[in-house]
């Protein structure tokens, strides 16, 4: 009779003031860079047209807000990233589980996938335009490609790095096949999968800029290119700052989910 294995739950230790201290440490470098940026512009190391100051970038943001454009650019880019990440990450989980659990599937699909992973993001653009036109489909597809490979690679590695002794104990308890995968292999690979999802989300933001080169009229990537075409360095820097801030924000949400899902683990916390 098949027995059910239960994973131990970790009891969290009180964090006290660790979270506020960690937040202050995390803000130290951005604030230092902001101060350095302001100092460099104040000293005139670069022309204002080359490197506008932080207040100029803030003024550019206010200009876009006043015209009612900034929120639209943010919403469009966020939607593209989340949809592309969901599609690419979902497919990667299905295919990664198949490859990780089957040597035959790895032998069949592994070499092709490794070759496709080496293709630069911009190399996909003309082919996607040829196949899918210049609408939303090629943009979402390119973002999905960016999310796909980190999730796939991490999940396969997580499954294959499961402790053999753990598997042997599970087999001794009568687990095999789908039950072994569901109760042992996939839970053991969960930390690697969540790391891959975070990397895949970061890759989605990287691929977004390339995606918004495909006939886009809205989005942060479009705003970046439009700033270059019009000689607006303040718009360029604003786009870069927004990509960094929103990318960090989405990663922080995923990291919070990761900590909740991995509460049962007992690992070194630094």
């Amino acid at each position: 009779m098949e027995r059910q294995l239960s994973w131990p739950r970790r009891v969290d230790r009180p964090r006290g003031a660790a979270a506020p201290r960690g937040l202050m440490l995390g803000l130290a470098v951005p604030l230092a860079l902001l101060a350095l940026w302001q100092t460099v512009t104040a000293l005139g190391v670069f022309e204002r047209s080359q490197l506008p100051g932080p207040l100029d970038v803030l003024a550019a943001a206010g200009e876009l807000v006043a015209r009612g454009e900034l929120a639209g650019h943010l919403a469009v880019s966020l939607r593209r990233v989340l949809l592309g990440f969901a599609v690419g990450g979902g497919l990667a989980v299905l295919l990664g589980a198949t490859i990780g659990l089957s040597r035959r599937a790895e032998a069949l699909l592994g070499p092709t996938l490794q070759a496709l992973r080496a293709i630069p993001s911009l190399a996909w653009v003309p082919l996607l335009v040829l196949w899918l036109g210049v609408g939303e489909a090629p943009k979402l597809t390119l973002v999905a490609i960016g999310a796909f490979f980190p999730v796939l690679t991490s999940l396969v590695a997580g499954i294959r790095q499961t402790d053999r002794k753990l598997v042997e104990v599970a087999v001794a308890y009568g687990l095999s096949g789908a039950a072994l995968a569901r109760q042992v292999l996939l839970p053991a690979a969960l930390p690697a999968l969540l790391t891959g999802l975070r990397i895949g989300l970061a890759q989605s933001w990287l691929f977004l800029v390339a995606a918004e080169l495909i006939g886009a009229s809205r989005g942060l990537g479009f705003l970046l290119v439009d700033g270059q075409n019009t000689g607006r360095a303040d718009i360029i820097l604003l786009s870069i700052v927004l990509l960094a801030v929103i990318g960090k924000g989405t990663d922080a949400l995923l990291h919070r989910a990761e900590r909740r899902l991995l509460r049962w683990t007992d690992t070194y916390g630094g």
Side-chain angles (χ1 to χ4, degrees):
M1 183 176 179
E2 180 183 306
R3 302 184 188 181
Q4 297 290 322
L5 294 179
S6 60
W7 290 85
R9 292 185 176 274
R10 184 184 71 181
V11 179
D12 288 338
R13 300 178 178 86
R15 295 178 60 84
R21 285 200 301 269
L23 178 61
M24 293 305 297
L25 283 173
L27 289 174
V29 173
L31 291 175
L33 290 175
L34 186 64
L36 177 62
W37 178 11
Q38 178 61 42
T39 301
V40 168
T41 54
L43 293 175
V45 176
F46 293 96
E47 296 291 335
R48 191 172 177 180
S49 59
Q50 295 175 309
L51 182 64
L55 294 180
D56 296 322
V57 173
L58 190 61
E63 176 188 335
L64 291 174
V65 169
R67 297 206 306 252
E69 297 179 7
L70 187 58
H73 289 303
L74 293 174
V76 167
S77 288
L78 188 60
R79 173 182 171 274
R80 286 170 179 157
V81 166
L82 294 181
L83 285 176
F85 173 70
V87 172
L91 290 174
V93 168
L94 293 175
L95 196 56
T98 302
I99 293 174
L101 297 171
S102 170
R103 289 287 184 183
R104 183 172 298 179
E106 181 184 28
L108 177 65
L109 301 173
T112 301
L113 291 172
Q114 293 301 322
L116 291 175
R117 188 176 66 168
I119 299 175
S121 59
L122 289 177
W124 290 102
V125 172
L127 191 60
L128 292 176
V129 171
L130 182 64
W131 286 351
L132 302 174
V134 293
E136 284 296 296
K139 300 175 182 62
L140 295 177
T141 301
L142 190 58
V143 174
I145 291 172
F148 177 82
F149 290 105
V151 178
L152 174 75
T153 304
S154 297
L155 179 55
V156 172
I159 293 173
R160 294 295 171 81
Q161 291 170 5
T162 302
D163 192 336
R164 184 183 295 274
K165 297 182 182 63
L166 186 62
V167 177
E168 291 173 353
V169 170
V171 171
Y173 270 78
L175 298 183
S176 62
L180 178 65
R182 185 178 65 253
Q183 295 189 44
V184 177
L185 295 174
L186 294 179
L190 185 59
L193 171 61
L194 292 172
T195 299
L197 287 171
R198 291 181 65 188
I199 298 172
L201 182 59
Q203 283 282 97
S204 297
W205 284 105
L206 294 176
F207 275 57
L208 173 71
V209 176
E212 291 181 340
L213 296 175
I214 308 174
S217 58
R218 300 181 77 185
L220 293 177
F222 164 78
L223 199 62
L224 183 68
V225 175
D226 186 60
Q228 179 186 17
N229 293 336
T230 56
R232 293 285 304 272
D234 53 348
I235 297 293
I236 295 174
L237 287 170
L238 174 64
S239 305
I240 293 172
V241 170
L242 289 175
L243 285 167
V245 170
I246 300 175
K248 170 55 184 172
T250 53
D251 177 74
L253 292 175
L254 195 53
H255 180 50
R256 186 169 184 176
E258 177 185 28
R259 289 181 56 191
R260 288 181 176 274
L261 289 171
L262 298 181
R263 291 180 67 182
W264 53 270
T265 60
D266 189 13
T267 55
Y268 175 65

